[in-house]
Amino acid sequence: MGQIVRGKCLDISSEGKGVAKVGKNIYFVDGLFVGEEADIEVLYQRAGVYFGKVKKLYTLSKDRIQPKCKVCTSCGGCQYQQINYQTQLEYKTKRVKEALTRIGGVKTNVLPCLGMNNPYYYRNKIQMPYGKDRKGNVVYGFFKENSHEIIPVKECVIEDKRAASILWDIKELVKQMNIPTYNEDNGRGILRYVLIRTSYHYKELMVVLVTSIMNFPGQRNFIDALVKLHPEITTIVENINKRHTNVILGNSEKVLYGPGYIKDKILDLTFEISASSFFQVNPVQVEKLYQNALELIKIDEKSVVLDAYSGVGTIGLIAAKNAKKVISVEINRSAHENAKENAKRNGVTNIEFYCDDAGHFIDNYQGKIDTVIMDPPRKGSDEKFLSVLIRNSIKQIVYISCDPETLARDIKYLSSHYGVTYVQPVDMFPMTAHVETILCLSLIGNKTSKN
């Protein structure tokens, strides 16, 4: 579009964009913060709203800082690097409170967002596409918003420091060995992504090569050279993704070096992490998150806790320390099997595992359930599951959410039967607009229940 308008930032959107109003039009602007005035270059329009970027700043926020990353304004991965960390936490607290009020219709106390002492280099999972720039040079980094153009990134300041040199040396080996990188537009090439997973508590590191074919030419020489350069790598996995989509991992994989997994700890429990396992990306903050959640629950030797959307069983296994029994329910067969293995590894015996839909399980369970812990994906839960909680008059619900807006939508549905007793945002993703929230609900009154 290219039009230039001058506007002042009045608020921050849920995606971390500055919100400016010029005349009757609303503009969402990357890198513009509350109180700042700027010339805005309009990039596109969607659903009656304009999206743009800062062309020239006239007024700067007192909270603006010099970002550590030189490409944060173009790569799109971090929305808040140009603003001081305390203000980031305030933005996130405000986002949770406003979502609960505006969408959920709930007015409640929201505690200040729990931050990090050092909000950099925290991610234990790094994934970057490999491709070529317009000059034909091999590059890696992040896709520019709404495009297949890769913004080269030599070091990402929110990802584990150990990854930077490995990613660089993979690029150099790809060049030396003439391994074709994948082209997202025409679907040609071999190396699509490199994913690195690091352990916080152990000296273990995994490299995942996402390729379009199995056993690419020169693979053995490539692996030998990479391990020689980086002996800190403990396992290498090839993931095969033949689909012409933006989904990173495919459905089949092959272990090329080492055991095919790494281990890490949460609150003294050890978990095995595979290439495709879900595991919280911030190892420091996840302990604050789970410790905080468990302190909410009145667990004793008589308590029965159901862990819905349980994944590989992390929070259920941690809760089992104090409960009479934990019931772990997960519909994904692979995650269900991983959860059982994690229980054996940690010697936890007062936990039962079921591969089932959590709502279906609760409706058909004949025993007592005191508390349900739910940690759904970003899209939130659904009315079918929430209605099961209401129908069975579950006394206490601990909802862990990575999206305040879907959390608020679900709380609105539950609000006729449940009252919110506690809300604690936790900053799992510093420098970005994302925020995790722990919310506790208690059943209102004494309703008839099979429990």
Side-chain angles (χ1 to χ4, degrees):
M1 296 183 76
Q3 179 188 3
I4 305 292
V5 298
R6 184 164 173 170
K8 186 174 183 179
C9 182
L10 305 174
D11 203 354
I12 299 293
S13 75
S14 59
E15 293 83 19
K17 298 178 186 289
V19 181
K21 188 175 183 182
V22 182
K24 294 182 179 180
N25 295 328
I26 301 295
Y27 297 83
F28 286 175
V29 188
D30 290 318
L32 191 64
F33 302 101
V34 174
E36 295 187 330
E37 190 172 0
D39 280 343
I40 301 163
E41 181 180 352
V42 181
L43 301 176
Y44 60 93
Q45 182 185 9
R46 188 171 65 211
V49 175
Y50 294 90
F51 292 79
K53 66 178 182 179
V54 173
K55 190 72 174 175
K56 181 180 179 181
L57 270 170
Y58 293 102
T59 308
L60 272 66
S61 167
K62 62 179 175 54
D63 300 317
R64 181 178 279 270
I65 60 173
Q66 188 67 30
K68 282 194 174 189
C69 177
K70 294 178 182 178
V71 298
C72 69
T73 56
S74 54
C75 101
C78 294
Q79 296 80 36
Y80 289 161
Q81 272 207 44
Q82 306 100 301
I83 207 79
N84 73 51
Y85 189 50
Q86 184 55 43
T87 303
Q88 293 182 35
L89 297 177
E90 290 168 5
Y91 281 171
K92 295 183 182 193
T93 305
K94 182 172 179 279
R95 179 184 170 191
V96 173
K97 189 164 189 173
E98 288 186 348
L100 288 172
T101 303
R102 177 174 52 86
I103 301 171
V106 175
K107 290 185 178 180
T108 187
N109 181 49
V110 176
L111 295 170
C113 187
L114 289 176
M116 298 186 72
N117 292 330
N118 177 18
Y120 295 97
Y121 303 109
Y122 60 85
R123 284 187 64 97
N124 59 19
K125 180 182 177 184
I126 301 96
Q127 50 199 30
M128 290 194 180
Y130 277 63
K132 289 188 176 178
D133 62 17
R134 292 174 184 175
K135 295 180 179 180
N137 299 311
V138 176
V139 293
Y140 62 91
F142 296 104
F143 285 123
K144 188 176 181 179
E145 189 176 11
N146 299 319
S147 80
H148 289 151
E149 180 186 350
I150 296 175
I151 304 297
V153 177
K154 190 170 182 180
E155 181 193 44
C156 176
V157 301
I158 65 170
E159 295 177 342
D160 192 302
K161 285 185 177 183
R162 291 171 284 179
S165 60
I166 297 173
L167 292 165
W168 177 266
D169 285 338
I170 287 174
K171 184 194 80 164
E172 293 301 303
L173 290 173
V174 165
K175 286 164 56 180
Q176 291 170 22
M177 299 183 180
N178 294 315
I179 299 169
T181 56
Y182 189 77
N183 185 304
E184 290 284 342
D185 292 316
N186 61 30
R188 296 175 183 169
I190 293 175
L191 182 62
R192 301 185 67 158
Y193 289 86
V194 173
L195 187 153
I196 296 176
R197 306 194 79 147
T198 58
S199 174
Y200 185 75
H201 291 280
Y202 297 97
K203 291 182 178 179
E204 298 185 9
L205 188 150
M206 173 192 290
V207 172
V208 182
L209 305 171
V210 183
T211 60
S212 60
I213 61 170
M214 179 139 355
N215 300 323
F216 59 86
Q219 186 178 87
R220 189 69 262 160
N221 290 336
F222 180 89
I223 299 306
D224 291 344
L226 182 58
V227 173
K228 186 175 181 180
L229 286 168
H230 293 281
E232 70 273 22
I233 296 173
T234 54
T235 191
I236 300 175
V237 176
E238 182 181 21
N239 178 277
I240 296 85
N241 184 357
K242 299 180 180 181
R243 295 173 293 184
H244 194 55
T245 70
N246 59 1
V247 177
I248 293 175
L249 293 178
N251 295 322
S252 60
E253 59 187 44
K254 177 184 177 182
V255 177
L256 303 179
Y257 172 78
Y261 62 85
I262 60 172
K263 302 186 301 297
D264 212 342
K265 285 185 178 181
I266 301 177
L267 296 174
D268 296 325
L269 294 180
T270 300
F271 296 91
E272 190 177 286
I273 306 162
S274 67
S276 57
S277 293
F278 171 78
F279 199 74
Q280 291 281 6
V281 300
N282 190 325
V284 175
Q285 292 294 90
V286 70
E287 295 205 339
K288 290 183 185 178
L289 178 79
Y290 287 167
Q291 189 66 54
N292 209 284
L294 293 174
E295 286 172 359
L296 291 178
I297 312 170
K298 300 179 179 69
I299 299 180
D300 56 28
E301 66 279 359
K302 297 179 181 178
S303 302
V304 176
V305 178
L306 185 136
D307 180 13
Y309 306 91
S310 66
V312 298
T314 46
I315 195 164
L317 289 167
I318 294 165
K321 288 181 179 180
N322 301 320
K324 176 184 178 182
K325 181 171 71 173
V326 171
I327 303 164
S328 176
V329 186
E330 169 58 51
I331 199 166
N332 180 280
R333 173 66 62 179
S334 176
H336 166 74
E337 294 300 329
N338 286 340
K340 290 196 291 184
E341 288 300 317
N342 284 327
K344 289 179 185 176
R345 182 175 297 105
N346 290 285
V348 180
T349 57
N350 61 329
I351 185 166
E352 298 173 356
F353 296 95
Y354 297 90
C355 189
D356 197 356
D357 172 78
H360 176 266
F361 179 87
I362 293 171
D363 258 345
N364 291 277
Y365 185 65
Q366 298 302 310
K368 179 187 78 163
I369 299 171
D370 298 298
T371 299
V372 167
I373 303 172
M374 53 188 290
D375 187 357
R378 193 170 300 280
K379 66 180 180 179
S381 188
D382 55 38
E383 290 187 2
K384 182 180 178 182
F385 177 71
L386 299 176
S387 66
V388 169
L389 300 178
I390 292 173
R391 185 161 60 248
N392 289 275
S393 298
I394 301 298
K395 294 175 185 175
Q396 184 178 218
I397 303 166
V398 177
Y399 193 137
I400 300 173
S401 166
C402 57
D403 188 285
E405 287 70 36
T406 57
L407 167 68
R409 179 204 65 204
D410 292 347
I411 298 312
K412 182 176 182 180
Y413 186 87
L414 293 168
S415 62
S416 61
H417 288 70
Y418 289 88
V420 175
T421 58
Y422 181 91
V423 186
Q424 176 66 74
V426 180
D427 192 18
M428 297 288 289
F429 316 100
M431 306 299 138
T432 79
H434 300 297
V435 58
E436 201 94 0
T437 308
I438 307 160
L439 185 144
C440 192
L441 297 145
S442 290
L443 189 65
I444 299 169
N446 295 312
K447 298 181 181 293
T448 303
S449 168
K450 72 179 185 184
N451 293 319

